[in-house]
Each structure stands twice: as C-alpha cells, then as structure tokens.
C-alpha cells in the first residue's frame, strides 16, 4: 500500500500541468473563435445547475444566446455577495459589451453598477430587480413581475369566492425580502380595491420554507378559529404545501377551502391537479433565462426597451394545469 | 560534611514525587557545590529524570524543598531558570524550524520594544557555542543538523543562560566517543570556572573520568552518595542493581539455525543505505548500534511498515519464496513486529488485554465476521499465561498495566500468530528487571520453536546475552558482524561508534 | 577540538536556504499557474487590479489564520467573525464608531476562542467549530436575517475606488497586514515564539515561553484580521450580509496549505500564505475570464490543493525511487527463470 501511495505525487505533478492547460485552453479556445459571435456578454448569476430553478434557467439562456450570436460568460456566486462583487470586477475588467446581473444580495450591488457605469458597460437585471434607487444605473429589468404575480393570485381567489364573504389567512415570504414585499403588496392591494368581500384575518411570514409555513398556518388557524377560515394565500408553492399539511393535520379537507399561491413548481402543479390547491401563478424559469438574453440583445442593438420586461403572470387552475404550455419547470 | 567544603549552590531536601500510586522519587536529598561535577546514576526507572525535572521546576515535588544559594525555589520552570538552574533534557527539546541561534536563545531572546535584536542574539549564541567549543552555522535550521550537533546546541542553550547549576540528563547517549570526550572536557572547564554540574549517565566510565561526587539511585531512593575517590566502578554498579552483576552468558542457548526464513537484499529507505540481511529458522539476530543509526528504520522497511526506496525482501513460506512489499500482506504471511514505541504503535491502551491480543488474530477468532467471545477469552488467557502477565486479568485495559506488562501483551499478540519471522525493537526498554528476564525467556522459546528472530536493542548486555549473531548498524549500513563468541561490549561499541574511523 | 562545520560559499548558502524554506512547492505551483495563465488567458494580468483585488480578498483572512495554524491550532470561526463584524459595523449609524466596534468584536471573539482552547482545554477544532455556528447565528439575530445597508453608502463606494494606480484601499490594507505579520513573525520575539509553540510546545514551555499568552495573541490576531476583512467587505459592498464569508473559510485554509503552512504547526510562513493566495487568486480570475463554471473551478482548486500536499519533498523522493524500482522490477521480470 505504501508503495502505491508514493506513486501518486509523481503522477500528481504531471496532472497539474495537464489540468491547468486543459482548463484554460478549453474555454480560451472559444473566445478566440470570435467570428460567429457578435457580442460578448457576462452574466453574473447567484445560482446555476446547483439549484432547480437555475438548472432550467441556464439552458434556455444559453440557447437564446447562441441563436442571437451572443457569447456568454456565466459566473455563479452561490448567493455570496463577496464572490459576486469579485466576479463583477472580473467582468468589468474583461470589457464585455454588456453585463447581465442577477443580484445575489440586492443591497450590495451598487458598487458593481457604479464600476460598470464608469467603464461604460451597460447592465441589465434579470430575475430579481435592483433596489429602486439603483434603477437609474441599469438599462432594464427582465423577469417575474412580482407585484403582478401577487395580483394574479388575488384575482384567482376573487373569482373562486364569486362575491361570497370569504375570510382568509396569508403566509408571506421572508420579511424584508423585495420579492416578498412586492407579492404581498400586489395581493393585498387588489383585495382592498377590487374584492372587498374577502377579508384578511391574519398574516405571518413563512420564510420561503415549508416547515415555518406549516407552523405559521397552524398558529393562525388556532388564533382565529379554523372554522372561520375559508381561504389561504401563500406567497409561493413551497409554503402553500406547508399550509395544506397544517390543514390535513387538523382533519380539514384542503379542497373545501380556496387556496392560492405562486410558482407552479413541480411541487405546486400536482397540488392543483389533485384539487388541494385552487390555483397558482406560473413562474417560468426558461422564460426568465431566455428573456434575460433578449433584453440584453435589444439593449445592444439599440432597440427601444421598456424599464421592465415582465414575465406574463399566467394563472394555473385545474382547468389548464395539465396543459403542456404550463408544464412545471422546476 | 567537611568543614572546608564550600556552601552548596543547590540543596534539595527530602524530595518526594508520586505519580498516581507509584513513588518515583522517595525522600531524596542531594547537594551540589560550585565547581563540583556531581554524578547521579541508576538503572532505567530509578527516578533520575524525575528528580531532575523537580530540580528544574518542571514538576512540583509532593514533599521537600529545593534551595538555590540558600533561597527557596519557587515559580515553576520559569522560577528555576531565573534562579540559575538550566536542564539539558534527555529527549531533545529544540524547535526544528528555528535557527541554531534562535534555539540557543529560546526563552531569553534579547529584544528592544519587543523586536528581536538579531545582532545581539547571534553574538550571545556564538558566545555560548564558543564556550562549549562547537562551531556550527548560526543561521542553519536545527532540523538539518545531525543528532549529535543538536545535542550540543541543546547544551549551548543551557550554557547561554549562564546558569549556576547545569543539569545534563544522559547527554552522551547519541554521541560518538570523540564527541563524548569533547563534551567531558568542556564540562570540566565549566566546573573549573565555578559552575555546579549534575551529570546523569549510565556510562560508568564517563562518570569516573570527570565527576567528583556520585549519588546512586535505586527505586527512587538514594542508596549511596559519596566522593568518587572513595568508590570503584564495580561497587557503583553493584549498588545500582542491588546485586552482583555479571553478564549472564550461562543462559545463552546453543543455536541450531535451520532453513533460511527471511532474506533482505539491498534495502534502502529513509536513513537506510543498502543493507543485506539473512535470518534463519531458530536463530536470533541482534542489531546493535547507537540511537539514530537507522536500526528502527531498517526493520520497519524490512517488514513493510515504512516505504522502501529500493531492495527486496523475501520470506520463505514452507519452502516457497514470497515477496514482501507492504505490511498487511507481510503480517498475513507470518511476520510479526513488536515496535519500539509500544504505547503509540503497538497497543490500543483504552482496550482490554483480550481485545489487544485478539487484534491481529481476528480472522481465527471470528466466524462469519462475528467475534467469538468465548474462543477469544480462552485464546487471550492462554497467551497471557504464556507471557506471564501479572495480574493475568484479560478484561483490564492495557493502559492500566505497567510498562513491562504492556510489552508482554504486545508480544502475546504476535505469539498467537505463531510467526515465522518476528522483529522485536527495544523489547525491554523501560521494563523492570523481572519482566526483562521473562521477556528474554519468551524470545528464546520463540527461536527454539523454530521462529527466525530479529532483535534491536540499545541495551548491550541484553544484545550480547540474546543474540546468536550481532550485526552492528551505523549510518544506515551494517558496519560489522560478530558471532556470539567474538562479541563483547567493546567490540560492538567500537563498530557502532565508528571510533576507528575518526581521526581525532 | 572543534566540532561541526561552518557552511560557506554562495552556492552552499543558496542550497541551504532552498532546503530550509517551506514555500518551495507553493512557489513551483505559482510559477506553473503564472506561465499557463500568461499563455492562455493574459487578461488576468493586463487586468491586474482585479487580480490583486481577488488575491487580497482570499489572502487577508488567510494571513490571520496563518498565525494560529503556526501554533498548531485551528480557527474555523473566521468566516463567521467576518459576517458578524460586518453586521455589527453596519448596524451602528456612525461609520467610524462602527468600524472600531467591529474590530474590537473581532479581538473579543479571538479572546473567547483562546479561553476555550487554553483554559477550558477544548481542542481548537471543536471550540472554533462551535463558535462558527454560534457567531453565524448571532449575525442573523443582529441583522434580523436580512442584509444591513450602510447608512453612508457614498463612503462605501468611495472606499472601493483605487487610491494610486490599481491599488484600492483593500489591496493597500492587505499589503500592510502582510508586512506587519511578516515582521511580527520574523522580527518580533513574541511572534517568532509562535514557531516554538507550534514546533514543540513542551520545549517552548520548558524554555520559559509564556505559551498561553502566545496562543491568546494568535487567536486575537486571527479574530482581528477576520473582522478587518468583514469591515472592508461591508464598506465595498455598501451593505453587510449575515450570510457573508461562505467562501472565505475554505479558500483561506487552501491558500495557507498551498503555501506550505503545516496544519500541525511549527512550519510555514506568511510569505507562503501570500504565494498560496496569489496562486488561487490568479487561477480563479483566469478561469472566470475563460468562462469556466464555478463548479469546474472548484474541481481545479481542489486538485491544486491535493497536488500541493502530496508533492511534499520527502514524498517526491520516495516516488522517484518507487518509479525506478518499478521499472527495474519490470526488467527483471523479462528474464525467464
């Protein structure tokens, strides 16, 4: 065994040179092949194939880029703000034609945006928008309309209630998170303005996870009395699954309530088909990835772009849940 | 005490030090005056090192006092250092990655505002080296020095403190005769300048060369303390062992070597530079040499416990040659190895005697992967009896036994496998006299029953008593081979130290 | 009679120096990285300000860590210290006061670590692992689980701008920290004694070195430097993220190990750590510029780390011999018996 072990270092030394050469050469070769690509674009993402959303987001993004003649260089900061900031420095130094930014931590991207601006590199945002005060530093945003998603979810609940007085409880995302705030506002604003027969009895954060949501739902059902609740809204499919479990734990049939959420994920879609979840709003990761490139292309080619390129908030209920057009992606 | 004797610099009275239940130092008093070289001798485990660690403040005595210049010693190691006691440890206590100069001045580095004053540091280190008459590059890192030079750097460190009392614990164990002479002359010089020196050694001739007073310890007690002129080497040795010592050659077996069992050719490894070795059935081969000569490295390379850079080892199994390349297959083929460091390499101290004995014999003691408790217990207790474990309680943790008994457990482990070839590295180090005799008996029985035995020992009488043939190792090579009839302490030592090769 | 030999001659001195240093294989790796990157992705050097920034990001925490590792201890809490100090700083409206409190918090964390290791007697791996979790939790509690924005965002953005040429304040602080630690560990007695504490703790104690005080100093340095990195990150990002530092811990250990710092203590240097940080930083920037995915980058870094460790000089010698004997054996096998 000792003898075999001493063989490794020698092999290791040879391996290091090989590794380095192959790593840099593989990708380096692409960059020299500039004839097919018209534009160089860096995409600074906080996730990739390490997350379900990113796994379907990336291929759609790459396919669109190939189609439009854009050479993409993609980084994944794994939601570490420092890594993304450093990736941003690298991107600025490489002087690409444009940077697509999916903020890992929204509050920390201002220096990156300023640096890109100083270098004359346009930036677009994808999936998660930058803070309102930073909007002037980007050319546009493409991705889910989080306010519109909340509104779409409210519309479905309103349709299902059909004018009858309905008391509901609400489970929100992580406090302070911009997506959580926007979805909540979209939902609550619509209810307050256009659907006054619906009353929100209680609301609590479920922190985007199933366990917290189940506990929050359970507490609210106890405090307001489960018999008084005719509906539940949760800000995403993962949390709604927790709320449904809370109902089942009390022996309440979820299909007897009006329950809506947002996502149409591989978790949420079957719940709609089974009837436990009345409706959800489709967030398409492939649309997201594809249109990040579309927006970038439009900026690069000088086409007029809107401030926001919003993903359509397609409502998914039992009627259309099995349609291929809304097949869950993540 | 004679009236003209100067007042002692160091005076220890009625020191008692216990470890758990065992009394390591039992009511010892010792006084050393300026200019005196005071020898402290005794067998392994007599309490010499413990006593010195108490004097140096590293250990705190359970009873008794130590006074330096009439002042009571306080404040642990630091207090003793400040009072002027410097101890040169038996085991090296240098920092391998630091330079010679830094090591010499370790703990007393000259600084200004916290910054090291490099020039002053080197000057002081150079002065200390000069004082002991050794020249070595001050900027060399200690890791790259020979063992002997490290020993001198260690002494330089003690001397650099300008101590009133210098204690040396077995300083010559790793030195050649020429280096030893140099050291002894240097100590004489220091003593003439008024330093009090305590010199621990088991090399009696050295003691009689330079010392003025001798204290003999046995089992933690002072058995004799007398001016050297009033005693003789043989009287000292008698007091050390408590009996008349003569080399017990009568018990030597008449060896009847059988077939070749192990044959090593051109072994090269770390510290081993090309060794050929043959061991026959029924034969005990002894490996002699100084500490650091490469004996342990050699045997580890032979059994495959450490990587070899080159060479082959062949084990003859029932007439068929088997190539030995690594340890696990070697053990399966019938090689046994009792390592030097039994506490770390040879035993699982927190496991029972029975578990330890069963360890290399799991295959035989289990059925379908399940260890058979009854069979294991019978197996272990037979072996425990065979090696004379006392008390023979196989359920006790090995860690609770004394060193001698621990060593018996290590040997018992391998006895159970009936090895064709067994290596014992320092089998009786730190073992009491009774256990030592028993271990010798076991080793002889092994050979009588047809095993090929290789023994590494720094204990010369042991080597002479056990071996049929002695190979002497120096600098990773076999520098001489002596048959039982030709070997004596002197012939082995001169080959081991390469005395005849040193021009000085 | 004189014993021993004095090494003389320039060649002998150079050979001695090479044999004594622990940075050798780190240096070889760095040279390899530089050559390959220079050929295939020279942008990594033309955009050297970016590369410098990345090296400083990886290297700063690694420098503090080196002080602890040299004493044979570990500090796993550095990443959480970075996060918690950033959050503390951003939570205090006054920028100057925030920085002072955050740095003090770093030192305090070091003291707590050292108390566990020295007085309670917990193995430093376990003690600082506990602190890693506890401090991460504390960062979440203080920040209410969301990023804390700096009250003075403009100051943060100004901080991220280069001072002279490519040198941003981060790079400058990194250089200052490097020089300070290098001087401390080679010229200051207390720092030099770190090697003694790590190399042979009993001997250091016997020589009268205040071992406990040295261990305290080491953990305080490591905590302070981690907090400093937290302050710099928070300023540059204009907000403190309680989840920050996830990539820092492993990268800084990797930098130290590649640079030849031995985890059991006593061997290594901050120069080595600098070399390790340079290798990692250049490699990461080059791979990012080449569009190599993060996951693939991690495979590279892991491989480099393992290679750095298995190409230890003594291992190499054994390897060369075993290759030789392998071929010799083959030759012998050709001869029919």
């Amino acid at each position: 065994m000792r003898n075999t072990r001493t063989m490794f270092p020698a092999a290791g030394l040879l391996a290091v040179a090989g590794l380095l050469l192959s790593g840099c050469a593989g990708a380096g070769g692409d960059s020299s092949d500039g004839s097919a690509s018209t534009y160089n674009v860096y995409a600074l993402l906080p996730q990739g194939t390490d997350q379900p959303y990113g796994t379907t987001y990336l291929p759609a993004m790459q396919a669109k880029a190939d189609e439009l003649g854009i050479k993409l260089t993609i980084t994944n900061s794994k939601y570490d703000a420092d890594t993304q900031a450093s990736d941003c420095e690298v991107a600025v130094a490489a002087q690409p034609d444009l940077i697509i930014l999916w903020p890992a931590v929204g509050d920390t991207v201002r220096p990156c945006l300023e640096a890109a601006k100083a270098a004359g590199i346009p930036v677009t945002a994808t999936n998660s928008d930058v803070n309102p005060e930073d909007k002037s530093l980007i050319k546009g945003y493409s991705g889910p309309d989080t306010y519109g998603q909340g509104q779409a979810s409210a519309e479905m609940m309103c349709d299902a209630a059909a004018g009858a007085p309905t008391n509901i409880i609400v489970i929100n995302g992580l406090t302070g998170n911009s997506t959580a705030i926007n979805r909540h506002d979209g939902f609550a604003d619509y209810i307050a303005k256009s659907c006054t027969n619906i009353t929100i009895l209680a609301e609590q954060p479920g922190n985007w996870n199933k366990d917290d949501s189940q506990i929050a739902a359970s507490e609210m059902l106890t405090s307001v009395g489960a018999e008084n609740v005719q509906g539940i809204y949760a800000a995403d499919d993962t949390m709604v699954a927790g709320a449904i479990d809370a109902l089942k734990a009390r022996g309440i049939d979820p299909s007897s309530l009006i329950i809506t959420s947002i996502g149409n994920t591989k978790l949420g879609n079957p719940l709609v088909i089974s009837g436990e979840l009345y409706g959800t709003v489709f967030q398409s990761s492939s649309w997201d990835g594809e249109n990040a490139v579309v927006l970038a292309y439009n900026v690069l080619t000088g086409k007029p772009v809107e401030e926001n390129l919003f993903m359509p908030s397609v409502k998914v209920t039992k009627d259309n849940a099995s349609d291929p057009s809304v097949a869950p992606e993540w | 005490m004679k009236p003209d004797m100067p007042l002692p610099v160091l005076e220890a009275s009625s020191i008692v030090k216990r470890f758990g239940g065992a009394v390591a130092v039992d009511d010892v008093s010792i006084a050393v005056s300026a200019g005196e070289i005071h020898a402290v001798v005794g067998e392994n485990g007599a309490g010499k090192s413990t006593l010195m660690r108490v004097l140096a403040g590293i250990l705190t005595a359970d009873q008794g006092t130590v006074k330096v210049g009439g002042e009571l010693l306080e404040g642990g190691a630091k207090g003793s250092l400040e009072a002027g006691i410097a101890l040169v440890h038996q085991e090296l206590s240098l920092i391998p990655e630091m330079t010679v100069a830094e090591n010499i001045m370790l703990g007393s580095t000259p600084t200004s505002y916290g910054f090291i004053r490099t020039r002053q540091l080197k000057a002081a280190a150079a002065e200390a080296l000069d004082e002991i008459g050794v020249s070595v590059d001050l900027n060399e890192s200690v890791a790259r020095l020979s063992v002997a030079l490290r020993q001198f750097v260690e002494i330089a460190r003690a001397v650099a403190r300008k101590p009133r009392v210098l204690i040396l614990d077995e300083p010559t164990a790793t030195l050649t005769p020429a280096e030893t002479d140099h050291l002894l002359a240097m100590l004489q010089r220091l003593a003439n300048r008024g330093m009090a020196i305590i010199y621990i050694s088991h090399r009696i001739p050295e003691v009689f060369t330079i010392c003025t007073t001798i204290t003999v310890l046995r089992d933690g007690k002072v058995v004799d303390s007398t001016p050297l002129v009033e005693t003789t080497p043989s009287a000292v040795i008698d007091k050390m062992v408590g009996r008349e010592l003569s080399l017990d050659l009568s018990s030597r077996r008449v060896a009847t070597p059988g077939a070749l069992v192990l044959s090593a050719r051109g072994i090269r490894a770390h510290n081993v530079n090309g060794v050929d070795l043959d061991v026959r059935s029924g034969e005990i081969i002894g490996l002699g040499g100084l500490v650091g000569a490469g004996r342990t490295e050699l045997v580890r390379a032979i059994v495959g416990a450490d990587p070899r850079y080159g060479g082959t080892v062949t084990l003859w199994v029932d007439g068929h040659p088997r190539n030995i390349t690594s340890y696990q297959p070697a053990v399966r083929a019938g090689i046994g190895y009792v390592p030097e460091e039994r506490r770390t390499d040879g035993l699982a101290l927190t496991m029972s005697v029975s578990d330890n004995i069963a360890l290399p014999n799991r295959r035989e003691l289990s059925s379908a992967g399940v260890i058979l408790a009854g069979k294991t217990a019978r197996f272990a207790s037979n072996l425990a009896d065979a090696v004379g474990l006392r008390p023979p309680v196989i359920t006790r943790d090995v860690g609770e036994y004394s060193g001698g008994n621990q060593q018996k457990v290590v040997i018992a482990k391998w006895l159970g496998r009936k090895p064709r070839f067994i290596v014992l590295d320092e089998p009786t180090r730190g073992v009491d006299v009774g256990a030592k005799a028993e271990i010798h008996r076991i080793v002889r029985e092994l050979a009588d029953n047809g095993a090929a035995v290789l023994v590494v020992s720094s204990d010369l009488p042991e080597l002479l008593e056990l071996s049929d043939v002695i190979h002497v190792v120096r600098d990773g090579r076999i520098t001489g081979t002596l048959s039982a009839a030709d070997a004596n302490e002197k012939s082995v030592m001169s080959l081991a130290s390469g005395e005849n090769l040193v021009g000085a | 009679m004189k014993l021993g030999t004095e090494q003389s001659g320039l060649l002998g001195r150079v050979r001695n120096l090479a044999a004594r240093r622990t940075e050798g294989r780190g240096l070889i790796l760095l040279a390899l990285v530089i050559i390959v990157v220079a050929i295939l992705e020279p942008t990594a050097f033309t955009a050297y300000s970016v590369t410098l920034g990345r090296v400083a990001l990886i290297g700063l925490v690694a420098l503090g860590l080196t002080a602890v590792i040299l004493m044979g201890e570990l500090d796993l809490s550095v990443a959480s210290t970075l996060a918690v100090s950033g959050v503390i700083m951003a939570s205090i409206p006054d920028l100057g006061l925030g920085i002072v409190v955050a740095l003090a918090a770093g030192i305090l964390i070091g003291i707590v670590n050292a108390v566990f290791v020295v007085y309670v007697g917990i193995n430093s791996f376990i003690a600082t692992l506990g602190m890693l979790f506890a401090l991460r939790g504390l960062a979440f509690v203080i920040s209410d689980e969301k990023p804390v924005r700096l009250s003075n965002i403009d100051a943060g953005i100004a901080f991220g701008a280069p001072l002279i040429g490519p040198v941003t304040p981060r790079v400058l602080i990194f250089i200052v920290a490097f020089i300070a630690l290098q001087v401390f560990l080679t010229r200051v007695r207390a720092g030099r004694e770190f090697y003694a504490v790590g190399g042979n703790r009993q001997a250091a104690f016997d020589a009268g070195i205040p071992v406990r005080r040295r261990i305290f100093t080491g953990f305080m340095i490591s905590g302070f430097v981690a907090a400093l990195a937290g302050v710099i990150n928070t300023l540059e990002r204009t907000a403190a993220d309680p989840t920050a530092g996830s990539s820092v811990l492993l990268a800084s250990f990797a930098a130290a190990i590649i640079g030849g710092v031995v985890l059991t203590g006593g061997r290594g240097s901050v120069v080595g750590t600098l070399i390790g940080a340079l290798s990692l930083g250049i490699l990461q920037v080059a791979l990012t510029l080449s569009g190599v995915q993060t996951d693939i980058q991690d495979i590279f870094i892991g491989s480099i780390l393992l290679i750095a460790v298995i190409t230890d000089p003594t291992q190499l010698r054994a390897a060369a011999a075993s290759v030789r004997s392998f071929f010799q054996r083959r030759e012998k096998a050709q001869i029919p018996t």
Side-chain angles (χ1 to χ4, degrees), chain B residues 225 378 396 417 430:
Chain B
S225 189
R378 275 194 307 278
R396 250 172 77 167
R417 293 192 65 83

Side-chain angles (χ1 to χ4, degrees), chain C residues 80-96:
Chain C
S80 302
T81 305
L82 183 148
V84 89
S85 61
V87 169
I88 288 173
M89 170 192 164
S91 305
I92 295 172
D94 184 273
L95 191 65

Side-chain angles (χ1 to χ4, degrees), chain B residues 150-231:
Chain B
R150 285 186 210 181
Q151 182 69 61
F152 278 103
V153 170
E154 190 115 21
I155 294 167
R157 171 150 93 203
V159 169
R161 297 245 158 82
K162 306 209 183 330
R164 300 163 75 181
V165 183
L166 175 64
I167 305 173
L168 300 106
D169 194 352
E170 299 278 8
T172 56
T174 55
L175 302 184
T176 64
E179 289 160 346
T180 301
D181 290 346
H182 177 78
L183 175 74
L184 298 181
M186 173 207 75
L187 291 179
Q188 195 80 65
R189 241 177 10 247
L190 291 175
N192 290 344
R193 263 184 277 157
M195 201 180 282
I197 294 172
I198 299 180
Y199 187 79
I200 298 172
S201 182
H202 53 214
R203 296 187 177 176
I204 304 302
E206 285 172 20
V207 167
F208 275 84
T209 316
I210 56 162
C211 296
T212 44
T213 318
I214 186 162
T215 294
V216 182
L217 290 181
R218 191 172 73 230
D219 302 329
K221 293 192 186 68
V222 175
V223 290
D224 193 20
S225 189
T226 172
L228 207 84
V229 289
E230 292 172 17
T231 187

Side-chain angles (χ1 to χ4, degrees), chain C residues 216-283:
Chain C
F216 264 91
T217 313
F219 276 105
M220 281 157 73
I221 289 173
S222 157
F224 174 80
V225 172
L228 187 63
V231 166
I232 296 172
N233 284 1
T234 305
L235 277 170
E236 280 199 358
R237 312 283 171 265
T238 70
D241 178 10
T243 67
S246 56
S247 59
V248 163
L249 177 66
L250 298 179
S252 37
F253 268 102
I257 292 167
I258 290 173
V261 181
V262 179
L263 283 188
T264 46
R267 281 174 66 92
S269 68
V270 288
V271 175
T273 303
L274 176 69
I275 291 168
L278 280 169
S279 310
L280 275 187
I282 293 171
L283 190 66

Side-chain angles (χ1 to χ4, degrees), chain B residues 378-389:
Chain B
R378 275 194 307 278
F379 180 81
S381 90
N382 284 342
L383 285 167
D385 285 347
V387 297
L389 184 73

Side-chain angles (χ1 to χ4, degrees), chain B residues 95 97-98, chain C residues 21-23 62-75 181-182 184-186 190-201 214-215 218-219 221-222 253 256 259-273:
Chain B
I95 311 300
E97 290 309 303
M98 291 181 126
Chain C
R21 305 306 305 195
T22 50
E23 298 91 354
L63 287 181
L65 207 52
T66 305
V68 175
I69 300 176
L70 279 179
M71 285 188 291
E73 303 289 345
L74 294 173
D75 187 354
L181 262 176
Q182 170 69 11
F184 179 71
L185 288 173
T186 55
R192 198 61 194 144
E193 286 175 355
F194 280 23
Y195 285 88
V197 173
N200 187 339
R201 190 163 295 182
R214 298 290 172 263
I215 294 175
F219 276 105
I221 289 173
S222 157
F253 268 102
V261 181
V262 179
L263 283 188
T264 46
R267 281 174 66 92
S269 68
V270 288
V271 175
T273 303

Side-chain angles (χ1 to χ4, degrees), chain C:
Chain C
M1 187 189 94
K2 285 268 179 185
L3 279 170
T5 48
E6 192 100 33
Q7 278 287 348
S8 59
L10 185 68
L11 198 69
R13 275 169 190 283
V14 170
R15 199 183 299 131
N16 269 352
L17 190 73
R20 201 186 297 147
R21 305 306 305 195
T22 50
E23 298 91 354
R25 52 209 159 107
L27 213 54
I28 294 169
L29 266 179
L30 177 62
L32 256 173
V33 167
I34 287 177
I35 291 166
V36 174
V37 168
I39 295 168
L40 297 170
E41 195 58 59
T43 328
F45 297 115
T46 49
Y48 55 91
S49 65
V50 175
T51 309
L52 271 181
R54 178 72 71 118
V55 170
L57 178 73
I58 297 170
L60 186 57
V61 175
L63 287 181
L65 207 52
T66 305
V68 175
I69 300 176
L70 279 179
M71 285 188 291
E73 303 289 345
L74 294 173
D75 187 354
L76 302 178
S77 70
V78 284
S80 302
T81 305
L82 183 148
V84 89
S85 61
V87 169
I88 288 173
M89 170 192 164
S91 305
I92 295 172
D94 184 273
L95 191 65
L97 182 68
I99 292 173
V100 171
V101 174
L103 294 179
I107 294 176
L108 183 69
I109 290 166
I111 292 174
V112 173
N113 278 330
V115 165
F116 278 125
V117 173
V118 170
Y119 288 110
V120 188
I122 306 175
N123 174 288
S124 64
F125 181 92
I126 297 163
T128 57
L129 183 68
M131 289 293 279
L132 182 153
F133 283 107
L135 293 172
R136 163 112 20 239
L138 184 66
F140 276 110
V141 170
I142 296 173
S143 67
D144 202 12
E145 305 195 3
K146 52 180 189 280
V148 186
R149 307 202 73 178
L150 219 52
S151 50
N152 187 348
I153 287 179
D154 293 334
I157 288 174
F159 183 84
L163 291 173
I164 331 138
V167 180
T168 58
R170 172 194 290 280
V171 174
L172 188 69
I173 291 171
F174 174 68
I175 292 169
V176 170
F178 167 75
I179 293 172
L181 262 176
Q182 170 69 11
V183 168
F184 179 71
L185 288 173
T186 55
R187 299 264 169 253
V188 176
R189 176 174 171 181
R192 198 61 194 144
E193 286 175 355
F194 280 23
Y195 285 88
V197 173
N200 187 339
R201 190 163 295 182
Q202 184 63 45
F205 183 79
D206 291 349
I209 291 172
V211 172
R212 291 179 161 191
R213 207 186 306 159
R214 298 290 172 263
I215 294 175
F216 264 91
T217 313
F219 276 105
M220 281 157 73
I221 289 173
S222 157
F224 174 80
V225 172
L228 187 63
V231 166
I232 296 172
N233 284 1
T234 305
L235 277 170
E236 280 199 358
R237 312 283 171 265
T238 70
D241 178 10
T243 67
S246 56
S247 59
V248 163
L249 177 66
L250 298 179
S252 37
F253 268 102
I257 292 167
I258 290 173
V261 181
V262 179
L263 283 188
T264 46
R267 281 174 66 92
S269 68
V270 288
V271 175
T273 303
L274 176 69
I275 291 168
L278 280 169
S279 310
L280 275 187
I282 293 171
L283 190 66
Q284 278 186 5
V285 170
L287 289 173
T288 305
L289 282 168
S290 306
V292 176
Q293 285 231 14
T294 327
D295 317 302
I296 311 294
Q297 289 191 21
D298 287 347
I299 295 175
F300 271 91
I301 290 163
S303 310
I304 295 275
L305 179 73
L306 288 174
I307 288 162
V309 175
I310 59 177
T311 51
D312 187 77
T314 56
Q315 290 266 17
L316 275 182
R317 206 146 32 99
S322 92
V323 169
R324 235 187 350 258
S325 76
F326 175 74
F327 285 112
Q328 280 166 0
R329 228 178 300 146
R330 291 288 295 267
E331 277 164 31
K332 274 184 201 153
Q334 304 287 318
I335 305 162
T337 46

